[in-house]
Amino acid sequence: TKQTPPDNSGSADRRRTPWGFILPALVPLVLITIGPLIFLYYISLTDFELGTSLSEANFVGLDNYVRLFTGKDPQFWPAIVNTLVIAVTATAIELVLGFGIALLVDSFGERMKGVLVAVLMLPMVVTPVIVGLVWKLMLNSEHGVINWALGFAGLGQAWLGPGLSLTSIMIVEVWQWTSFVALILMAGLASLPREPHEAAA
């Protein structure tokens, strides 16, 4: 008897199905993350400067990287140090504050906990550009609301000046991302078994 060849259309459909789920997320990821990353690498190989037209930039190859790592750019290493200071200090503060907030929220009932979680998510969902503009206005040394409030005690500061600019950046960083740390730690607390807590109580 003549045997019919196996039908592989089902397995082909099964191979295509995961891509149908992945592509809607993969396309924005490429456009928002990978595309700009490739563009930044291209810009780093030119003499482009902020405020000038991209059409005026000339290709210089690896000259920018050579200038950075041979010490010809005096701003590079201080920028690296400032980045490390912000990363380490802000992360430590966010962990401490986030853990305290997570413990506090975890002590409330379910209904109140849902309200507090919604409030905690607000700083995270605000666009970083908007966060920067709002905090720039609030930290303005002449018309900002922070100096207005501190002015009653004579504690007004030049928050955006060279002396406190690093501190101001860390304040904004901690304000925006402490809630993210708190939500992660709350999820961890929720996954813990309740028996040891009940026994301790």
PDB file of all heavy atoms in Angstrom, residues 52-82:
ATOM      1  N   THR A  52      24.676  71.312  17.868  1.00  0.00           N
ATOM      2  CA  THR A  52      25.018  71.463  16.460  1.00  0.00           C
ATOM      3  C   THR A  52      24.201  70.470  15.635  1.00  0.00           C
ATOM      4  O   THR A  52      23.634  69.522  16.167  1.00  0.00           O
ATOM      5  CB  THR A  52      26.513  71.213  16.218  1.00  0.00           C
ATOM      6  OG1 THR A  52      26.829  69.856  16.578  1.00  0.00           O
ATOM      7  CG2 THR A  52      27.364  72.155  17.062  1.00  0.00           C
ATOM      8  N   SER A  53      24.156  70.711  14.345  1.00  0.00           N
ATOM      9  CA  SER A  53      23.402  69.832  13.464  1.00  0.00           C
ATOM     10  C   SER A  53      24.164  68.531  13.220  1.00  0.00           C
ATOM     11  O   SER A  53      25.393  68.531  13.106  1.00  0.00           O
ATOM     12  CB  SER A  53      23.136  70.538  12.133  1.00  0.00           C
ATOM     13  OG  SER A  53      22.535  69.655  11.210  1.00  0.00           O
ATOM     14  N   LEU A  54      23.429  67.433  13.144  1.00  0.00           N
ATOM     15  CA  LEU A  54      24.055  66.139  12.896  1.00  0.00           C
ATOM     16  C   LEU A  54      24.707  66.093  11.513  1.00  0.00           C
ATOM     17  O   LEU A  54      25.685  65.372  11.311  1.00  0.00           O
ATOM     18  CB  LEU A  54      23.007  65.035  13.018  1.00  0.00           C
ATOM     19  CG  LEU A  54      23.498  63.586  12.924  1.00  0.00           C
ATOM     20  CD1 LEU A  54      24.513  63.289  14.013  1.00  0.00           C
ATOM     21  CD2 LEU A  54      22.334  62.621  12.996  1.00  0.00           C
ATOM     22  N   SER A  55      24.188  66.888  10.585  1.00  0.00           N
ATOM     23  CA  SER A  55      24.763  66.900   9.239  1.00  0.00           C
ATOM     24  C   SER A  55      26.154  67.516   9.215  1.00  0.00           C
ATOM     25  O   SER A  55      26.923  67.292   8.279  1.00  0.00           O
ATOM     26  CB  SER A  55      23.839  67.666   8.286  1.00  0.00           C
ATOM     27  OG  SER A  55      23.677  69.011   8.721  1.00  0.00           O
ATOM     28  N   GLU A  56      26.514  68.282  10.258  1.00  0.00           N
ATOM     29  CA  GLU A  56      27.841  68.898  10.322  1.00  0.00           C
ATOM     30  C   GLU A  56      28.882  67.983  10.954  1.00  0.00           C
ATOM     31  O   GLU A  56      30.070  68.314  10.965  1.00  0.00           O
ATOM     32  CB  GLU A  56      27.767  70.200  11.124  1.00  0.00           C
ATOM     33  CG  GLU A  56      26.829  71.243  10.524  1.00  0.00           C
ATOM     34  CD  GLU A  56      26.677  72.449  11.421  1.00  0.00           C
ATOM     35  OE1 GLU A  56      27.369  72.492  12.469  1.00  0.00           O
ATOM     36  OE2 GLU A  56      25.888  73.341  11.086  1.00  0.00           O
ATOM     37  N   ALA A  57      28.449  66.835  11.506  1.00  0.00           N
ATOM     38  CA  ALA A  57      29.383  65.923  12.178  1.00  0.00           C
ATOM     39  C   ALA A  57      30.248  65.200  11.154  1.00  0.00           C
ATOM     40  O   ALA A  57      29.782  64.807  10.087  1.00  0.00           O
ATOM     41  CB  ALA A  57      28.602  64.915  13.020  1.00  0.00           C
ATOM     42  N   ASN A  58      31.519  65.038  11.510  1.00  0.00           N
ATOM     43  CA  ASN A  58      32.484  64.344  10.649  1.00  0.00           C
ATOM     44  C   ASN A  58      32.908  63.034  11.309  1.00  0.00           C
ATOM     45  O   ASN A  58      33.055  62.962  12.529  1.00  0.00           O
ATOM     46  CB  ASN A  58      33.716  65.217  10.395  1.00  0.00           C
ATOM     47  CG  ASN A  58      33.364  66.515   9.705  1.00  0.00           C
ATOM     48  OD1 ASN A  58      32.673  66.524   8.689  1.00  0.00           O
ATOM     49  ND2 ASN A  58      33.816  67.632  10.269  1.00  0.00           N
ATOM     50  N   PHE A  59      33.112  62.014  10.509  1.00  0.00           N
ATOM     51  CA  PHE A  59      33.556  60.713  11.016  1.00  0.00           C
ATOM     52  C   PHE A  59      35.010  60.804  11.452  1.00  0.00           C
ATOM     53  O   PHE A  59      35.882  61.223  10.689  1.00  0.00           O
ATOM     54  CB  PHE A  59      33.389  59.649   9.935  1.00  0.00           C
ATOM     55  CG  PHE A  59      33.716  58.265  10.407  1.00  0.00           C
ATOM     56  CD1 PHE A  59      32.806  57.535  11.157  1.00  0.00           C
ATOM     57  CD2 PHE A  59      34.948  57.693  10.116  1.00  0.00           C
ATOM     58  CE1 PHE A  59      33.105  56.254  11.598  1.00  0.00           C
ATOM     59  CE2 PHE A  59      35.255  56.418  10.557  1.00  0.00           C
ATOM     60  CZ  PHE A  59      34.331  55.701  11.303  1.00  0.00           C
ATOM     61  N   VAL A  60      35.289  60.435  12.718  1.00  0.00           N
ATOM     62  CA  VAL A  60      36.654  60.514  13.256  1.00  0.00           C
ATOM     63  C   VAL A  60      37.157  59.153  13.729  1.00  0.00           C
ATOM     64  O   VAL A  60      38.258  59.059  14.268  1.00  0.00           O
ATOM     65  CB  VAL A  60      36.736  61.533  14.414  1.00  0.00           C
ATOM     66  CG1 VAL A  60      36.445  62.942  13.928  1.00  0.00           C
ATOM     67  CG2 VAL A  60      35.794  61.142  15.555  1.00  0.00           C
ATOM     68  N   GLY A  61      36.373  58.111  13.562  1.00  0.00           N
ATOM     69  CA  GLY A  61      36.813  56.774  13.955  1.00  0.00           C
ATOM     70  C   GLY A  61      36.899  56.630  15.466  1.00  0.00           C
ATOM     71  O   GLY A  61      35.999  57.032  16.206  1.00  0.00           O
ATOM     72  N   LEU A  62      38.000  56.069  15.943  1.00  0.00           N
ATOM     73  CA  LEU A  62      38.177  55.796  17.375  1.00  0.00           C
ATOM     74  C   LEU A  62      38.882  56.931  18.116  1.00  0.00           C
ATOM     75  O   LEU A  62      39.300  56.746  19.259  1.00  0.00           O
ATOM     76  CB  LEU A  62      38.969  54.502  17.553  1.00  0.00           C
ATOM     77  CG  LEU A  62      38.302  53.228  17.020  1.00  0.00           C
ATOM     78  CD1 LEU A  62      39.240  52.038  17.161  1.00  0.00           C
ATOM     79  CD2 LEU A  62      36.999  52.949  17.747  1.00  0.00           C
ATOM     80  N   ASP A  63      38.971  58.106  17.503  1.00  0.00           N
ATOM     81  CA  ASP A  63      39.687  59.222  18.137  1.00  0.00           C
ATOM     82  C   ASP A  63      39.073  59.607  19.476  1.00  0.00           C
ATOM     83  O   ASP A  63      39.801  59.934  20.424  1.00  0.00           O
ATOM     84  CB  ASP A  63      39.703  60.446  17.204  1.00  0.00           C
ATOM     85  CG  ASP A  63      40.669  60.263  16.045  1.00  0.00           C
ATOM     86  OD1 ASP A  63      41.382  59.247  16.033  1.00  0.00           O
ATOM     87  OD2 ASP A  63      40.695  61.132  15.151  1.00  0.00           O
ATOM     88  N   ASN A  64      37.760  59.592  19.575  1.00  0.00           N
ATOM     89  CA  ASN A  64      37.110  59.958  20.845  1.00  0.00           C
ATOM     90  C   ASN A  64      37.485  58.992  21.959  1.00  0.00           C
ATOM     91  O   ASN A  64      37.751  59.399  23.094  1.00  0.00           O
ATOM     92  CB  ASN A  64      35.585  59.984  20.674  1.00  0.00           C
ATOM     93  CG  ASN A  64      35.123  61.127  19.793  1.00  0.00           C
ATOM     94  OD1 ASN A  64      35.714  62.202  19.790  1.00  0.00           O
ATOM     95  ND2 ASN A  64      34.067  60.894  19.032  1.00  0.00           N
ATOM     96  N   TYR A  65      37.530  57.697  21.649  1.00  0.00           N
ATOM     97  CA  TYR A  65      37.885  56.694  22.653  1.00  0.00           C
ATOM     98  C   TYR A  65      39.356  56.808  23.050  1.00  0.00           C
ATOM     99  O   TYR A  65      39.712  56.660  24.222  1.00  0.00           O
ATOM    100  CB  TYR A  65      37.583  55.290  22.120  1.00  0.00           C
ATOM    101  CG  TYR A  65      36.116  55.032  21.927  1.00  0.00           C
ATOM    102  CD1 TYR A  65      35.527  55.160  20.670  1.00  0.00           C
ATOM    103  CD2 TYR A  65      35.309  54.674  23.002  1.00  0.00           C
ATOM    104  CE1 TYR A  65      34.165  54.929  20.487  1.00  0.00           C
ATOM    105  CE2 TYR A  65      33.946  54.448  22.829  1.00  0.00           C
ATOM    106  CZ  TYR A  65      33.395  54.578  21.576  1.00  0.00           C
ATOM    107  OH  TYR A  65      32.056  54.352  21.392  1.00  0.00           O
ATOM    108  N   VAL A  66      40.211  57.078  22.090  1.00  0.00           N
ATOM    109  CA  VAL A  66      41.633  57.267  22.387  1.00  0.00           C
ATOM    110  C   VAL A  66      41.822  58.469  23.293  1.00  0.00           C
ATOM    111  O   VAL A  66      42.587  58.429  24.269  1.00  0.00           O
ATOM    112  CB  VAL A  66      42.428  57.441  21.069  1.00  0.00           C
ATOM    113  CG1 VAL A  66      43.872  57.835  21.374  1.00  0.00           C
ATOM    114  CG2 VAL A  66      42.391  56.161  20.248  1.00  0.00           C
ATOM    115  N   ARG A  67      41.084  59.554  23.011  1.00  0.00           N
ATOM    116  CA  ARG A  67      41.202  60.766  23.826  1.00  0.00           C
ATOM    117  C   ARG A  67      40.715  60.519  25.250  1.00  0.00           C
ATOM    118  O   ARG A  67      41.292  61.028  26.220  1.00  0.00           O
ATOM    119  CB  ARG A  67      40.374  61.880  23.173  1.00  0.00           C
ATOM    120  CG  ARG A  67      40.500  63.235  23.853  1.00  0.00           C
ATOM    121  CD  ARG A  67      39.995  64.335  22.919  1.00  0.00           C
ATOM    122  NE  ARG A  67      38.657  64.043  22.439  1.00  0.00           N
ATOM    123  CZ  ARG A  67      37.546  64.365  23.089  1.00  0.00           C
ATOM    124  NH1 ARG A  67      37.630  64.979  24.258  1.00  0.00           N
ATOM    125  NH2 ARG A  67      36.362  64.072  22.599  1.00  0.00           N
ATOM    126  N   LEU A  68      39.675  59.711  25.412  1.00  0.00           N
ATOM    127  CA  LEU A  68      39.153  59.427  26.747  1.00  0.00           C
ATOM    128  C   LEU A  68      40.132  58.624  27.581  1.00  0.00           C
ATOM    129  O   LEU A  68      40.459  58.981  28.720  1.00  0.00           O
ATOM    130  CB  LEU A  68      37.825  58.657  26.648  1.00  0.00           C
ATOM    131  CG  LEU A  68      36.595  59.432  26.186  1.00  0.00           C
ATOM    132  CD1 LEU A  68      35.400  58.502  26.105  1.00  0.00           C
ATOM    133  CD2 LEU A  68      36.290  60.592  27.118  1.00  0.00           C
ATOM    134  N   PHE A  69      40.620  57.525  27.007  1.00  0.00           N
ATOM    135  CA  PHE A  69      41.410  56.584  27.805  1.00  0.00           C
ATOM    136  C   PHE A  69      42.884  56.944  27.887  1.00  0.00           C
ATOM    137  O   PHE A  69      43.630  56.287  28.610  1.00  0.00           O
ATOM    138  CB  PHE A  69      41.235  55.175  27.253  1.00  0.00           C
ATOM    139  CG  PHE A  69      39.848  54.636  27.453  1.00  0.00           C
ATOM    140  CD1 PHE A  69      38.978  54.502  26.385  1.00  0.00           C
ATOM    141  CD2 PHE A  69      39.397  54.296  28.716  1.00  0.00           C
ATOM    142  CE1 PHE A  69      37.699  54.012  26.568  1.00  0.00           C
ATOM    143  CE2 PHE A  69      38.112  53.818  28.913  1.00  0.00           C
ATOM    144  CZ  PHE A  69      37.266  53.678  27.838  1.00  0.00           C
ATOM    145  N   THR A  70      43.314  57.960  27.178  1.00  0.00           N
ATOM    146  CA  THR A  70      44.692  58.439  27.326  1.00  0.00           C
ATOM    147  C   THR A  70      44.767  59.672  28.211  1.00  0.00           C
ATOM    148  O   THR A  70      45.828  60.259  28.368  1.00  0.00           O
ATOM    149  CB  THR A  70      45.302  58.758  25.950  1.00  0.00           C
ATOM    150  OG1 THR A  70      44.460  59.679  25.251  1.00  0.00           O
ATOM    151  CG2 THR A  70      45.474  57.499  25.127  1.00  0.00           C
ATOM    152  N   GLY A  71      43.630  60.064  28.810  1.00  0.00           N
ATOM    153  CA  GLY A  71      43.632  61.168  29.757  1.00  0.00           C
ATOM    154  C   GLY A  71      43.596  62.533  29.134  1.00  0.00           C
ATOM    155  O   GLY A  71      43.842  63.531  29.826  1.00  0.00           O
ATOM    156  N   LYS A  72      43.290  62.635  27.851  1.00  0.00           N
ATOM    157  CA  LYS A  72      43.250  63.953  27.199  1.00  0.00           C
ATOM    158  C   LYS A  72      41.935  64.685  27.439  1.00  0.00           C
ATOM    159  O   LYS A  72      41.814  65.855  27.112  1.00  0.00           O
ATOM    160  CB  LYS A  72      43.481  63.795  25.697  1.00  0.00           C
ATOM    161  CG  LYS A  72      44.883  63.301  25.362  1.00  0.00           C
ATOM    162  CD  LYS A  72      45.068  63.168  23.866  1.00  0.00           C
ATOM    163  CE  LYS A  72      46.468  62.653  23.541  1.00  0.00           C
ATOM    164  NZ  LYS A  72      46.679  62.447  22.091  1.00  0.00           N
ATOM    165  N   ASP A  73      40.949  63.993  27.989  1.00  0.00           N
ATOM    166  CA  ASP A  73      39.674  64.628  28.331  1.00  0.00           C
ATOM    167  C   ASP A  73      39.571  64.712  29.849  1.00  0.00           C
ATOM    168  O   ASP A  73      39.332  63.711  30.515  1.00  0.00           O
ATOM    169  CB  ASP A  73      38.507  63.823  27.766  1.00  0.00           C
ATOM    170  CG  ASP A  73      37.182  64.563  27.902  1.00  0.00           C
ATOM    171  OD1 ASP A  73      37.104  65.485  28.739  1.00  0.00           O
ATOM    172  OD2 ASP A  73      36.232  64.219  27.175  1.00  0.00           O
ATOM    173  N   PRO A  74      39.747  65.907  30.434  1.00  0.00           N
ATOM    174  CA  PRO A  74      39.770  66.015  31.900  1.00  0.00           C
ATOM    175  C   PRO A  74      38.418  65.756  32.563  1.00  0.00           C
ATOM    176  O   PRO A  74      38.351  65.566  33.780  1.00  0.00           O
ATOM    177  CB  PRO A  74      40.219  67.461  32.140  1.00  0.00           C
ATOM    178  CG  PRO A  74      39.821  68.188  30.893  1.00  0.00           C
ATOM    179  CD  PRO A  74      39.951  67.205  29.776  1.00  0.00           C
ATOM    180  N   GLN A  75      37.333  65.734  31.796  1.00  0.00           N
ATOM    181  CA  GLN A  75      36.010  65.553  32.390  1.00  0.00           C
ATOM    182  C   GLN A  75      35.586  64.088  32.468  1.00  0.00           C
ATOM    183  O   GLN A  75      34.603  63.774  33.142  1.00  0.00           O
ATOM    184  CB  GLN A  75      34.969  66.321  31.567  1.00  0.00           C
ATOM    185  CG  GLN A  75      35.188  67.829  31.571  1.00  0.00           C
ATOM    186  CD  GLN A  75      34.163  68.539  30.702  1.00  0.00           C
ATOM    187  OE1 GLN A  75      33.518  67.917  29.862  1.00  0.00           O
ATOM    188  NE2 GLN A  75      34.021  69.829  30.909  1.00  0.00           N
ATOM    189  N   PHE A  76      36.317  63.194  31.811  1.00  0.00           N
ATOM    190  CA  PHE A  76      35.869  61.806  31.716  1.00  0.00           C
ATOM    191  C   PHE A  76      35.909  61.092  33.055  1.00  0.00           C
ATOM    192  O   PHE A  76      34.896  60.546  33.512  1.00  0.00           O
ATOM    193  CB  PHE A  76      36.717  61.060  30.681  1.00  0.00           C
ATOM    194  CG  PHE A  76      36.373  59.602  30.571  1.00  0.00           C
ATOM    195  CD1 PHE A  76      35.152  59.207  30.088  1.00  0.00           C
ATOM    196  CD2 PHE A  76      37.282  58.624  30.957  1.00  0.00           C
ATOM    197  CE1 PHE A  76      34.816  57.856  29.990  1.00  0.00           C
ATOM    198  CE2 PHE A  76      36.967  57.275  30.852  1.00  0.00           C
ATOM    199  CZ  PHE A  76      35.735  56.899  30.360  1.00  0.00           C
ATOM    200  N   TRP A  77      37.071  61.043  33.696  1.00  0.00           N
ATOM    201  CA  TRP A  77      37.193  60.286  34.945  1.00  0.00           C
ATOM    202  C   TRP A  77      36.385  60.886  36.090  1.00  0.00           C
ATOM    203  O   TRP A  77      35.778  60.137  36.878  1.00  0.00           O
ATOM    204  CB  TRP A  77      38.662  60.130  35.332  1.00  0.00           C
ATOM    205  CG  TRP A  77      39.370  59.206  34.392  1.00  0.00           C
ATOM    206  CD1 TRP A  77      40.335  59.527  33.490  1.00  0.00           C
ATOM    207  CD2 TRP A  77      39.132  57.793  34.225  1.00  0.00           C
ATOM    208  NE1 TRP A  77      40.729  58.413  32.770  1.00  0.00           N
ATOM    209  CE2 TRP A  77      40.008  57.339  33.200  1.00  0.00           C
ATOM    210  CE3 TRP A  77      38.268  56.888  34.828  1.00  0.00           C
ATOM    211  CZ2 TRP A  77      40.033  56.019  32.784  1.00  0.00           C
ATOM    212  CZ3 TRP A  77      38.290  55.563  34.411  1.00  0.00           C
ATOM    213  CH2 TRP A  77      39.169  55.146  33.405  1.00  0.00           C
ATOM    214  N   PRO A  78      36.309  62.235  36.245  1.00  0.00           N
ATOM    215  CA  PRO A  78      35.378  62.766  37.252  1.00  0.00           C
ATOM    216  C   PRO A  78      33.924  62.363  36.990  1.00  0.00           C
ATOM    217  O   PRO A  78      33.165  62.110  37.929  1.00  0.00           O
ATOM    218  CB  PRO A  78      35.554  64.284  37.129  1.00  0.00           C
ATOM    219  CG  PRO A  78      36.942  64.446  36.630  1.00  0.00           C
ATOM    220  CD  PRO A  78      37.175  63.288  35.706  1.00  0.00           C
ATOM    221  N   ALA A  79      33.537  62.257  35.711  1.00  0.00           N
ATOM    222  CA  ALA A  79      32.173  61.821  35.383  1.00  0.00           C
ATOM    223  C   ALA A  79      31.965  60.369  35.794  1.00  0.00           C
ATOM    224  O   ALA A  79      30.889  60.002  36.307  1.00  0.00           O
ATOM    225  CB  ALA A  79      31.913  61.996  33.887  1.00  0.00           C
ATOM    226  N   ILE A  80      32.981  59.517  35.599  1.00  0.00           N
ATOM    227  CA  ILE A  80      32.887  58.119  36.020  1.00  0.00           C
ATOM    228  C   ILE A  80      32.749  58.021  37.536  1.00  0.00           C
ATOM    229  O   ILE A  80      31.920  57.268  38.061  1.00  0.00           O
ATOM    230  CB  ILE A  80      34.123  57.326  35.546  1.00  0.00           C
ATOM    231  CG1 ILE A  80      34.161  57.252  34.013  1.00  0.00           C
ATOM    232  CG2 ILE A  80      34.136  55.930  36.137  1.00  0.00           C
ATOM    233  CD1 ILE A  80      33.045  56.449  33.398  1.00  0.00           C
ATOM    234  N   VAL A  81      33.550  58.812  38.263  1.00  0.00           N
ATOM    235  CA  VAL A  81      33.491  58.798  39.734  1.00  0.00           C
ATOM    236  C   VAL A  81      32.122  59.265  40.214  1.00  0.00           C
ATOM    237  O   VAL A  81      31.520  58.657  41.115  1.00  0.00           O
ATOM    238  CB  VAL A  81      34.613  59.676  40.316  1.00  0.00           C
ATOM    239  CG1 VAL A  81      34.436  59.832  41.829  1.00  0.00           C
ATOM    240  CG2 VAL A  81      35.975  59.068  40.016  1.00  0.00           C
ATOM    241  N   ASN A  82      31.609  60.350  39.617  1.00  0.00           N
ATOM    242  CA  ASN A  82      30.286  60.859  40.010  1.00  0.00           C
ATOM    243  C   ASN A  82      29.196  59.824  39.749  1.00  0.00           C
ATOM    244  O   ASN A  82      28.274  59.656  40.557  1.00  0.00           O
ATOM    245  CB  ASN A  82      29.971  62.147  39.247  1.00  0.00           C
ATOM    246  CG  ASN A  82      30.793  63.321  39.747  1.00  0.00           C
ATOM    247  OD1 ASN A  82      31.312  63.294  40.863  1.00  0.00           O
ATOM    248  ND2 ASN A  82      30.914  64.335  38.927  1.00  0.00           N
TER     249      ASN A  82
END
